[in-house]
Amino acid sequence: MPKKQSTREEILDAIFMLVYINGYNGTSMSMILKECGIPKGSLYHYFKSKKEMVLAVIKERLAPRMDDFYSFSNTQNKHSIDILIDTIIKISQKEQLIKYGCPLNRLNQEMSSIDKDFESAITQIYNHIKEKIILLLHKSNIKKEINIEELSEFVIASIWGALSLSPTQSSKDRYLNTVFYLTNYLKSLKN
Amino acid sequence: MPKKQSTREEILDAIFMLVYINGYNGTSMSMILKECGIPKGSLYHYFKSKKEMVLAVIKERLAPRMDDFYSFSNTQNKHSIDILIDTIIKISQKEQLIKYGCPLNRLNQEMSSIDKDFESAITQIYNHIKEKIILLLHKSNIKKEINIEELSEFVIASIWGALSLSPTQSSKDRYLNTVFYLTNYLKSLKN
DNA sequence: CTTTAATTAGACTGAATGGTCTGTTTTTAA
DNA sequence: TTAAAAACAGACCATTCAGTCTAATTAAAG
């Protein structure tokens, strides 16, 4: 059944972008229908409700995307801090991130309070990327007074913030200028 | 006409909290009516539309609140960096901020893309607090390689991020742990 | 070819949406 | 005291919302 898969996947792609940009409450079924170009019956054949659609989007679109953003190059002898800095800078090349901010942050902010299932799915993704950063940082020597878990949260938070700065005048340079202070600080933590 | 003022002010207070927590699209007129406890006719007597109400909330509630959060004690000989750090820590005492995040960040994220008027009102507030931080930092000596405007944006961004970390398990301690790295870094910039 | 299941199709539903309209009451000023 | 304006009150409106339903079409399996 190749058709079924592809239709379902197209629906998820369309909903992801709509919810990423307009939020959950800002995305109506009619917008989804229009974007997908399919009739209502088809949509509700694959998903039983709007909530189920978006829950699937979180698990099948948001999660892998976040996992990709925070994928660290297995560079052999490079210091973890430098690998992390590379990742932070690499984010500046993803136009969507610069334009619309971190999708995890956006969905979290609006949707965590709407529904427990949303909240737990989003928290799961957050914890996953946090663990990835913790694991990375544990591989190299870092100043002893630093709590790696807390530092990881600080890194995520700072990236979220840097990507949130007024979406109107957002640009690659603006992001890089802002995270320069983050990377600058991270460098000082090497041991 | 004291009554007129107070009714209008009560409406703004109610709408501010509703929009702060639920967002613009997440706040319906019926919720506003219920929260204010007034009939529709009264509401639409003071404001011609939902948009006008929320625009007034941004200008008359959000702006002064943000101005208050970033009000720096005129301590005579204290270093600007230390005054800024005090402010960052003082934020941890505002339960609403810890619980729901920075209202400027929340409204900005959802509403800037909905309407140009929202966007410009929000941007104005952002620029105002940014200028306040820039002004503060210019008063003391800071390492020469630092661009104060960019640093100010980084500070705001990091606070936004720290206040955004999963609203579920948000707490004063979690915030303080996260911004510790920010304050730690800021201290190193004193000259 | 025939049967059965998967998928497409969209008219329709009840509830909720933001907003209007017509009064009535209260307040203010002359 | 009276006229006019401000404020209150809520029934009402068109539209949109998420979701249902029945039927038609297509695809898969025997």
Side-chain angles (χ1 to χ4, degrees), chain A residues 58-72:
Chain A
I58 293 172
K59 290 171 181 168
E60 299 173 40
R61 288 292 177 277
L62 179 61
R65 201 167 289 234
M66 293 306 301
D67 199 56
D68 174 56
F69 293 154
Y70 290 89
S71 58
F72 306 117

Side-chain angles (χ1 to χ4, degrees), chain B residues 9-10 12-13 16 56-65:
Chain B
E9 301 307 304
E10 277 171 29
L12 291 181
D13 285 334
F16 172 78
V57 164
I58 293 173
K59 291 170 181 168
E60 300 174 40
R61 287 292 178 280
L62 180 60
R65 202 168 287 235

Side-chain angles (χ1 to χ4, degrees), chain A residues 30-71:
Chain A
S30 61
M31 289 165 75
I32 293 172
L33 261 1
K34 194 179 173 187
E35 187 67 23
C36 296
I38 60 168
K40 215 161 215 184
S42 302
L43 232 195
Y44 278 94
H45 168 73
Y46 292 100
F47 305 97
K48 72 173 190 194
S49 67
K50 187 183 176 188
K51 176 185 161 179
E52 292 301 322
M53 294 172 205
V54 176
L55 217 41
V57 163
I58 293 172
K59 290 171 181 168
E60 299 173 40
R61 288 292 177 277
L62 179 61
R65 201 167 289 234
M66 293 306 301
D67 199 56
D68 174 56
F69 293 154
Y70 290 89
S71 58

Side-chain angles (χ1 to χ4, degrees), chain A residues 16 58-73 87 90-91 94 97 102-104 122 124-133 135:
Chain A
F16 173 78
I58 293 172
K59 290 171 181 168
E60 299 173 40
R61 288 292 177 277
L62 179 61
R65 201 167 289 234
M66 293 306 301
D67 199 56
D68 174 56
F69 293 154
Y70 290 89
S71 58
F72 306 117
S73 51
T87 300
K90 216 175 57 191
I91 284 174
K94 314 261 182 181
L97 289 179
C102 175
L104 183 62
I122 289 168
Q124 221 172 303
I125 298 174
Y126 173 80
N127 285 332
H128 176 68
I129 64 165
K130 187 175 93 177
E131 285 305 323
K132 282 181 81 170
I133 298 176
L135 214 67

Side-chain angles (χ1 to χ4, degrees), chain B residues 38-52:
Chain B
I38 61 169
K40 217 162 211 181
S42 304
L43 230 195
Y44 278 94
H45 169 74
Y46 292 100
F47 305 97
K48 73 174 188 194
S49 67
K50 187 184 174 187
K51 176 186 163 180
E52 292 302 321

Side-chain angles (χ1 to χ4, degrees), chain B residues 136-153:
Chain B
L136 172 73
L137 292 179
H138 269 303
K139 285 184 186 159
S140 297
N141 288 326
I142 290 177
K143 284 192 175 162
K144 297 216 175 61
E145 66 267 29
I146 298 300
N147 177 315
I148 287 185
E149 178 173 359
E150 290 168 7
L151 178 65
S152 300
E153 299 210 313

